[in-house]
Amino acid sequence: MPPKKQVEEKKVLLGRPGNNLKSGIVGLANVGKSTFFQAITRCPLGNPANYPFATIEPEEARVIVPSPRFDKLCDIYKPASKVPAHITVYDIAGLTKGASQGEGLGNAFLSNIRAVDAIFQVVRCFDDAEIIHIEGDVNPVRDLQIILDELRIKDIEFAKKHLESVEKVVKRGGQSLEVKNKKDEAAFVDRLIKYLEEGKRIANGTWTTKEVEIINSMFLLTAKPCIYLVNLSERDYIRKKNKHLLSIKQWVDANSPGDLIIPFSVCLEERLSHMETDEEREEELKKLGVQSALPKIITTMRSALHLCSYFTCGADEVREWTIREGTKAPQAAGVIHNDLMNTFILAQVTKYQDLVELGDETAVKANGKLMQKGKEYVVEDGDIIYFRSGAGKN
C-alpha cells in the first residue's frame, strides 16, 4: 500500500486572527507616550500635560506604513488614486505601580491593553527636571520591571479565572471527549500560571498549536508581541550613547528574550513632525547625521504582528492591502469585499520583482510570468493580484 499522505499541521499564531490588528502605546506616566503618538501619527492631541494620566481614554489613529514597493508601483502605473497600507495605533493612559490592584487608572488601563494586539512600550531614558517622573527618578530597568509585573499579575488573575471555569466541566466527571479535553486544558493552564509566576512573558514561550489556541482564548496581556522603544534625549540619540542602554538590553535579554529594542528620541521626532515639508525634515536629519526612527518602528511592529501585503494595481488605483501571514487567496480577496471571497474563482498573480524587472504587465504575460492560482494558494508578501469571481466583481 502507498504511504499515507502527511497532512501538514496548520500553524496557529499567538493573538487574534485578522488583518486589521491594533497596536497600543504603553508605559509609565510621563515617559513620552502621547508625544510619541503625536509624532508618529502627525495628529496632534494638543499639548500633553505634565502630570500622570493626561491621556484618559485611548486615542486612536491610523499610521501610514512606509513602503518602497508601493512607491515604485505608483511610479510604474501613475494611478489616479494611491492608497497605502496603514496600521492602527492607540495611545493608552500611563500605568502606575499597583495598576493590577486598581491603583491609578488600574483596570481601565489594563482593559485597554487587552483590546490591542501588540505593544509599543516606551521607556524613559532622558533627564528633565521640568518633566516629573511618577517614581521620582529616571530608572528604566525599574520601570520595565514594574510594567512586566503588573501585566503578569493581571494575567495570573485571568488564568486562574479561566482555570475555575474549566475545572467546573472536569468536576462533572464522565468519559466524554469534552471532559478529557478539559482535563488536558486544566493541566496546561495550571502550568501556564506557574510559568507566569516565574516572572516570564507568555509571548516568549514555545507552545504547541493546541496550547496557542487555549492561550488565544484567554486574551492574556503578556502574550502580545512587544517592541521596547527607548526614549533618549536628542543629544544622546544623535551620539548613539546613553548610560542606561546596556542595562536595558540585559533586562530584555533576561526577561523578554527575542523582543526588539529600538532607541529613538521623542524630542527629535516631535520637532520633525512640526516641520511643514518632507524636504525640511530630510535636510534637518542630514544636518544632524541621523535618521528618523519612525519608519523602522512602524515596519517592525507590522512584522511583529505577522502582517504582510499584497497589491492591486491599475491606471485607476494602486492599493496596498494588509493581510496576516499564511492567508489563502479567497480570504485575501475577502479583505477587498466579502463577495470576492464567497464567489472566488481564481487569482491572477504577478510577483513584484517580475513586474519591476520586466517593466509592465504586457511584458510579464509575454514572458510567462503571470500565474493562475486557486483556492489553496497562500498569498505571498508583495504579490500583485487580480481576482476573478463569480459575482461579476473583479
Side-chain angles (χ1 to χ4, degrees):
M1 291 180 65
K4 288 184 178 180
K5 187 178 179 181
Q6 293 292 319
V7 178
E8 186 177 341
E9 185 180 38
K10 183 180 178 183
K11 183 181 179 183
V12 178
L13 300 171
L14 275 176
R16 283 174 280 213
N19 304 309
N20 185 24
L21 304 181
K22 306 165 186 176
S23 302
I25 304 171
V26 171
L28 297 185
N30 290 355
V31 297
K33 299 184 310 302
S34 293
T35 309
F36 167 60
F37 179 84
Q38 292 177 23
I40 201 170
T41 61
R42 303 268 169 82
C43 174
L45 304 175
N47 293 324
N50 179 27
Y51 54 87
F53 322 123
T55 307
I56 303 301
E57 295 298 328
E59 299 286 348
E60 175 186 359
R62 288 183 169 186
V63 180
I64 291 174
V65 177
S67 175
R69 293 180 306 191
F70 174 78
D71 296 338
K72 181 65 176 177
L73 290 172
C74 289
D75 288 341
I76 292 172
Y77 284 91
K78 296 179 173 51
S81 173
K82 304 174 184 179
V83 186
H86 68 269
I87 62 171
T88 302
V89 178
Y90 283 83
D91 178 27
I92 297 173
L95 177 144
T96 187
K97 191 173 183 179
S100 57
Q101 309 302 319
E103 292 294 324
L105 295 175
N107 292 328
F109 167 87
L110 294 165
S111 66
N112 289 334
I113 297 181
R114 209 176 190 195
V116 301
D117 302 284
I119 296 170
F120 288 118
Q121 186 166 326
V122 181
V123 186
R124 177 173 169 176
C125 284
F126 66 89
D127 292 303
D128 189 329
E130 294 184 2
I131 302 177
I132 62 172
H133 192 294
I134 195 167
E135 291 295 318
D137 64 340
V138 176
N139 184 336
V141 167
R142 176 204 58 211
D143 296 353
L144 286 164
Q145 193 63 50
I146 287 173
I147 291 181
L148 174 58
D149 288 346
E150 295 301 326
L151 300 189
R152 278 193 316 101
I153 291 167
K154 205 64 184 178
D155 274 355
I156 291 168
E157 180 185 318
F158 291 145
K160 286 181 176 178
K161 285 182 180 177
H162 186 86
L163 182 59
E164 286 175 11
S165 66
V166 173
E167 286 178 335
K168 284 180 182 177
V169 179
V170 174
K171 286 176 182 176
R172 292 205 301 252
Q175 301 299 315
S176 69
L177 182 61
E178 181 192 15
V179 171
K180 178 184 180 304
N181 288 338
K182 290 298 181 182
K183 283 182 180 177
D184 292 342
E185 184 173 342
F188 170 65
V189 175
D190 186 61
R191 180 158 59 89
L192 207 63
I193 292 168
K194 291 182 173 64
Y195 184 88
L196 286 162
E197 288 174 342
E198 290 170 1
K200 299 173 183 175
R201 276 173 33 83
I202 300 300
N204 304 118
T206 301
W207 316 106
T208 67
T209 295
K210 191 172 182 180
E211 289 168 349
V212 169
E213 289 173 346
I214 294 170
I215 292 168
N216 285 348
S217 72
M218 298 165 69
F219 304 109
L220 298 177
L221 305 176
T222 65
K224 303 175 190 299
C226 182
I227 295 173
Y228 296 94
L229 304 181
V230 178
N231 185 10
L232 308 174
S233 67
E234 183 171 330
R235 176 176 176 271
D236 283 356
Y237 181 70
I238 292 169
R239 67 193 188 108
K240 298 181 174 61
K241 289 182 180 180
N242 180 277
K243 63 185 179 181
H244 299 293
L245 287 175
L246 179 58
S247 59
I248 290 172
K249 183 181 185 308
Q250 290 171 339
W251 186 93
V252 172
D253 287 347
N255 295 277
S256 198
D259 287 336
L260 286 173
I261 303 167
I262 302 179
F264 79 121
S265 171
V266 161
C267 181
L268 172 61
E269 301 296 353
E270 180 191 29
R271 192 160 64 77
L272 293 171
S273 72
H274 290 153
M275 294 179 181
E276 293 185 2
T277 66
D278 287 340
E279 289 74 18
E280 284 183 83
R281 284 184 280 275
E282 288 169 9
E283 185 62 33
E284 180 64 12
L285 289 168
K286 187 177 179 181
K287 185 175 75 175
L288 296 173
V290 296
Q291 292 182 327
S292 168
L294 297 189
K296 181 178 180 180
I297 289 170
I298 296 166
T299 55
T300 302
M301 177 54 77
R302 200 164 184 258
S303 176
L305 285 166
H306 299 284
L307 297 174
C308 61
S309 297
Y310 74 87
F311 300 90
T312 52
C313 300
D316 291 336
E317 179 184 87
V318 169
R319 183 184 292 243
E320 184 170 357
W321 300 91
T322 298
I323 56 172
R324 204 100 189 266
E325 290 172 4
T327 299
K328 292 184 178 180
Q331 288 70 42
V335 175
I336 300 175
H337 197 288
N338 279 338
D339 286 349
L340 283 176
M341 177 174 66
N342 297 333
T343 61
F344 175 90
I345 295 175
L346 62 82
Q348 294 180 329
V349 179
T350 300
K351 295 300 177 184
Y352 169 82
Q353 201 58 41
D354 289 338
L355 182 72
V356 171
E357 288 176 1
L358 295 170
D360 58 37
E361 291 179 2
T362 303
V364 168
K365 290 178 184 176
N367 283 271
K369 297 291 187 179
L370 180 63
M371 298 173 286
Q372 311 280 344
K373 298 292 185 179
K375 291 183 177 180
E376 294 304 308
Y377 176 67
V378 176
V379 176
E380 296 181 357
D381 186 39
D383 281 353
I384 300 164
I385 306 181
Y386 179 83
F387 294 106
R388 292 182 60 189
S389 75
K393 292 181 180 289
N394 292 321

